[in-house]
């Protein structure tokens, strides 16, 4: 009887909110679930019944956690947690090729929480198209990798004089071709990294590594560019001895390379790049600070988006695919770390990111498991 009274109160509330009969929800293309203040299901529309392959007579009045006995509700519980937390567009895989985008919003009126509304949007088709696109990109990139590498090798031999002395004009043409081919190789590598990332197969070989050595190695690899621009690059540590951290070495190299590459690329000749490393028991924080061109305020929210490049960076006619920071963010977060930045146009940018130590990584895995 209590639940029925509550159900009626909620329906009256929604009728007022929608300005017409509550039956409007029966015609929504999205699934709709409404839970009362003690997380009992009080409304389910026909589309949600279809999505979850259930009849409302079987589930109305049942508490959220008790819905776990119905197999198709388990992915929802995994996304929303035991107390139905507020989420926005989180994905729940109901079946192999059936994915719902889940949004949960608290229902509040006159300062009182009536319950929670959960919206289910079918994104299965979009995910299938995205998967096909990623497979095509990966295949095309793999096929392009071999010929571009062969071109690089051949052009390198010509520049070294392995096939005879070149005139100044010939050398300049071949040098420009070599640089253009290098850009193509970089794009192919970024596309391969992106495809692997979106397949969810990014981390493979996790082991203990010294992060300082990895950073020093990346700086050494970029030494020619650093000298050419007359940049000052320094590593500063807050701890004499840094703990080793659990990571996929190659993937972290890619992440740091992408961040440092931007610092080198967008710092003007004679500028400075400082790398700060500090450690605690559970994590190491790395800061990569430059005094370069910075990121315009109105574009900063897009920094970690795919294919984003700042307007001021484009005007400089610098190279870049706009994938580097997107890839770096996903690698770092896959390790249980965080990444953020501060930037002022014309003053420079500082990227901060954390990576867990062995102890912190163990806690991250435990959290992810549960």
């Amino acid at each position: 009887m209590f639940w029925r009274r509550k159900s009626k109160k909620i329906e009256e509330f929604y009728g007022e909110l929608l300005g017409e009969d509550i039956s409007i929800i029966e015609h929504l293309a999205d699934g709709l679930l409404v839970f009362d203040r003690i997380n009992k299901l009080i409304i389910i529309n026909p589309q949600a019944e279809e999505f979850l392959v259930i009849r409302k007579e079987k589930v109305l009045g049942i508490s959220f956690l008790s819905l776990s006995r119905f197999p198709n509700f388990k992915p929802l519980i995994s996304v929303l947690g035991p107390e139905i937390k507020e989420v926005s567009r989180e994905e729940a895989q109901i079946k192999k090729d059936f994915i719902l985008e889940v949004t949960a919003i608290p229902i509040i009126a006159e300062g009182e929480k009536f319950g929670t509304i959960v919206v289910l949007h079918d994104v299965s088709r979009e995910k299938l198209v995205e998967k096909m696109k990623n497979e095509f990109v990966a295949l095309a990139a793999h096929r392009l990798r071999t010929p571009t590498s062969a071109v690089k090798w051949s052009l390198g031999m010509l520049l070294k004089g392995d096939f005879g002395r070149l005139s100044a004009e010939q050398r300049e043409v071949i040098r420009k071709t070599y640089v253009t081919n290098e850009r193509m190789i970089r794009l192919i590598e970024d596309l391969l990294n992106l495809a692997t990332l979106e397949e969810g197969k990014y981390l493979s070989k996790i082991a203990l590594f010294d992060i300082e050595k990895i950073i020093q190695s990346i700086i050494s690899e970029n030494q020619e560019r650093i000298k050419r621009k007359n940049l000052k690059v320094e590593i500063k540590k807050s701890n004499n001895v840094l703990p080793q951290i659990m990571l996929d070495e190659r993937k972290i190299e890619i992440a740091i390379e992408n961040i440092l590459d931007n610092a080198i690329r967008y710092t003007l000749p004679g500028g400075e790049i400082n790398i700060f490393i500090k450690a605690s028991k559970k994590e190491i924080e790395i800061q990569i600070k430059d005094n370069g061109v910075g990121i315009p305020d109105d574009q900063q929210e897009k920094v970690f988006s795919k294919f984003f490049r700042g307007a001021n960076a484009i005007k400089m006619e610098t190279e870049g695919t706009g994938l580097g920071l997107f890839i770096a963010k996903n690698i770092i977060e896959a390790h249980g770390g965080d990444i953020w930045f501060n930037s002022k146009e014309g003053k420079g940018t500082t990227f901060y990111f954390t990576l867990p130590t062995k102890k912190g990584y163990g806690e991250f895995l435990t959290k992810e498991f549960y």
Side-chain angles (χ1 to χ4, degrees):
M1 182 63 72
F2 171 78
W3 169 76
R4 288 182 180 175
R5 286 200 302 270
K6 275 297 181 190
S7 177
K8 185 175 181 181
K9 187 175 182 181
I10 288 288
E11 289 191 4
E12 289 173 354
F13 171 73
Y14 266 91
E16 293 175 6
L17 182 65
L18 296 171
E20 53 187 276
D21 194 272
I22 193 67
S23 62
I24 190 173
I25 68 171
E26 295 182 0
H27 304 290
L28 291 176
D30 289 337
L32 191 73
L33 305 170
V34 179
F35 296 87
D36 67 12
R37 69 184 65 196
I38 58 173
N39 290 342
K40 284 188 176 180
L41 181 63
I42 58 174
I43 296 176
I44 178 170
N45 75 340
Q47 193 62 57
E49 291 181 75
E50 183 178 335
F51 284 163
L52 301 171
V53 194
I54 197 71
R55 299 302 302 164
K56 64 181 179 182
E57 292 81 8
K58 291 183 177 291
V59 292
L60 286 177
I62 296 177
S63 70
F64 182 61
L65 284 180
S66 296
L67 291 170
S68 62
R69 69 175 183 260
F70 302 101
N72 290 333
F73 274 93
K74 289 181 179 179
L76 292 183
I77 294 170
S78 177
V79 168
L80 296 172
E83 299 299 323
I84 315 185
K85 63 185 178 182
E86 184 175 351
V87 300
S88 177
R89 303 179 68 176
E90 296 283 339
E91 291 178 7
Q93 185 160 355
I94 308 301
K95 299 176 185 176
K96 182 180 178 182
D97 296 314
F98 184 48
I99 300 171
L100 294 176
E101 193 175 71
V102 183
T103 297
I105 306 168
I107 307 164
I108 299 174
E110 299 178 356
E112 180 185 1
K113 182 179 178 181
F114 278 85
T116 307
I117 182 170
V118 177
V119 181
L120 309 176
H121 179 63
D122 183 4
V123 292
S124 304
R125 179 176 174 77
E126 291 94 322
K127 290 297 174 182
L128 177 61
V129 171
E130 187 177 343
K131 181 181 178 183
M132 293 171 66
K133 178 198 70 177
N134 290 339
E135 288 174 350
F136 171 76
V137 168
L139 177 62
H142 274 293
R143 293 294 178 88
L144 286 169
R145 176 190 264 174
T146 301
T148 50
S149 296
V151 170
K152 176 181 178 178
W153 177 73
S154 300
L155 292 172
M157 292 181 69
L158 287 169
L159 288 171
K160 289 177 183 177
D162 290 351
F163 300 108
R165 187 179 180 84
L166 300 175
S167 67
E169 186 177 358
Q170 289 172 329
R171 173 172 287 277
E172 182 60 17
V173 169
I174 293 173
R175 187 193 67 79
K176 288 180 179 179
T177 306
Y178 184 91
V179 170
T180 301
N181 189 67
E182 281 284 275
R183 292 176 186 168
M184 180 64 72
I185 290 172
R186 177 65 184 269
L187 173 60
I188 290 167
E189 289 299 323
D190 279 349
L191 290 174
L192 284 171
N193 288 332
L194 179 64
T196 307
L197 171 66
E198 294 186 335
E199 285 175 10
K201 301 175 181 177
Y202 221 62
L203 303 185
S204 54
K205 299 177 181 178
I206 301 291
L208 283 169
F209 288 96
D210 184 333
I211 192 68
E212 185 183 3
K213 288 183 179 178
I214 291 175
I215 294 171
Q216 287 175 336
S217 174
I218 295 168
I219 292 172
S220 296
E221 290 172 5
N222 286 275
Q223 202 58 238
E224 185 179 336
R225 294 173 64 202
I226 291 168
K227 287 182 178 178
R228 191 163 61 243
K229 294 188 74 173
N230 190 30
L231 301 177
K232 182 181 178 182
V233 180
E234 285 188 317
I235 296 177
K236 301 177 182 179
K237 301 186 296 182
S238 62
N239 307 63
N240 290 328
V241 180
L242 295 171
Q244 290 189 316
I245 53 179
M246 297 292 294
L247 50 83
D248 181 322
E249 183 183 27
R250 180 55 195 141
K251 301 307 186 297
I252 286 297
E253 283 177 350
I254 291 170
I256 298 174
E257 280 173 3
N258 288 343
I259 297 170
L260 185 60
D261 176 73
N262 281 350
I264 295 172
R265 192 184 303 275
Y266 300 122
T267 299
L268 300 177
E272 294 184 7
I273 299 171
N274 290 298
I275 301 170
F276 302 91
I277 309 174
K278 61 180 181 180
S280 66
K281 290 182 179 180
K282 293 185 179 181
E283 67 181 20
I284 285 182
E285 180 181 296
I286 297 102
Q287 301 176 20
I288 298 180
K289 180 180 182 180
D290 65 60
N291 60 353
V293 299
I295 303 165
D297 289 346
D298 61 348
Q299 297 175 35
Q300 291 189 9
E301 64 180 18
K302 302 176 184 177
V303 162
F304 295 112
S305 303
K306 283 187 284 188
F307 303 110
F308 168 77
R309 298 189 69 213
N312 55 349
I314 294 171
K315 287 178 183 177
M316 292 173 65
E317 297 184 354
T318 54
E319 305 167 16
T321 63
L323 289 171
L325 292 176
F326 173 82
I327 291 170
K329 181 178 188 291
N330 281 272
I331 292 173
I332 289 164
E333 290 181 348
H335 282 83
D338 291 308
I339 181 169
W340 66 99
F341 69 94
N342 287 320
S343 186
K344 186 71 175 177
E345 188 172 9
K347 300 291 185 180
T349 302
T350 303
F351 275 93
Y352 307 80
F353 63 94
T354 60
L355 291 167
T357 60
K358 186 177 181 179
K359 180 179 180 180
Y361 189 73
E363 291 181 5
F364 164 69
L365 290 180
T366 303
K367 181 180 177 183
E368 287 294 291
F369 178 78
Y370 286 105

